[in-house]
Amino acid sequence: VDSSAPSAGAGAGVAIDASEGIAIVGSACRFPGGARNPDLFWKILEEGRNCVIEVPPSRWDAEEWYDSDPDAPGKMKVKVGGFLEEDAFEFDAMFFGISPKEATSLDPQQRLLLETSWEALECANIAPDSVFAAPVGVFIGLCTNDYEILQVKCNDSSKNLGYLATGSFFSAAVGRISYTLGMQGPCIAVDTACSSSLVATHMAC
């Protein structure tokens, strides 16, 4: 939120002093191990659970691509990883005013961003319509565009690539949140590779 303006939503009308600490009033997440929300994620941390598993069959055939020989051409030398249990294709596009046709070109990162942004507002008890036209900023760390590459490689006459740009560009992913919620603060996508989320948080602060 713009530190020079009244805050939106919960606590509206209360000025924010830029010298004060940062308050996390709402959060949402999707992490491996079934961590669909912060409480489940915290439980995993408390239990010290290892959420790295073998590649689920629903993703790809690990045995087909795996080879213990790291020099084997066209093969992977690992067959484990951290995987989300949720199916990103179960995204409720109509809820966010997105047509089914456009949703097919929407990077799963954008789908998850929309869902978790909405959930973070719910967690904070902030009505989504209360941030409309408010000076609320969106700063997001993003990296990789695998989905765009896959769509181009798998293109055929039955595929719809009309929304490829808006479904893949990092700027569109961030802008989609501001647009959907009507927020009018800064809207910035940050790609500094592995430090993207930290840099985005630093910029937001």
Side-chain angles (χ1 to χ4, degrees), residues 91-101 103:
F91 172 69
D92 188 354
M94 297 301 288
F95 179 81
F96 293 102
I98 300 172
S99 71
K101 191 174 184 179

Side-chain angles (χ1 to χ4, degrees), residues 49-64:
R49 197 188 330 156
N50 182 357
C51 296
V52 173
I53 60 173
E54 286 203 8
V55 179
S58 60
R59 297 301 182 92
W60 66 82
D61 185 349
E63 293 302 328
E64 180 182 351

Side-chain angles (χ1 to χ4, degrees), residues 97-158:
I98 300 172
S99 71
K101 191 174 184 179
E102 180 178 3
T104 61
S105 295
L106 205 62
D107 189 310
Q109 292 181 104
Q110 291 200 30
R111 305 171 202 192
L112 293 172
L113 279 172
L114 283 169
E115 291 177 346
T116 52
S117 296
W118 189 277
E119 289 174 16
L121 289 175
E122 289 182 330
C123 177
N125 290 320
I126 296 175
D129 59 359
S130 71
V131 298
F132 186 84
V136 178
V138 180
F139 299 79
I140 294 177
L142 287 164
C143 188
T144 74
N145 60 335
D146 307 56
Y147 192 70
E148 178 185 14
I149 295 171
L150 284 172
Q151 287 191 97
V152 172
K153 284 185 176 180
C154 299
N155 184 28
D156 59 46
S157 59
S158 65

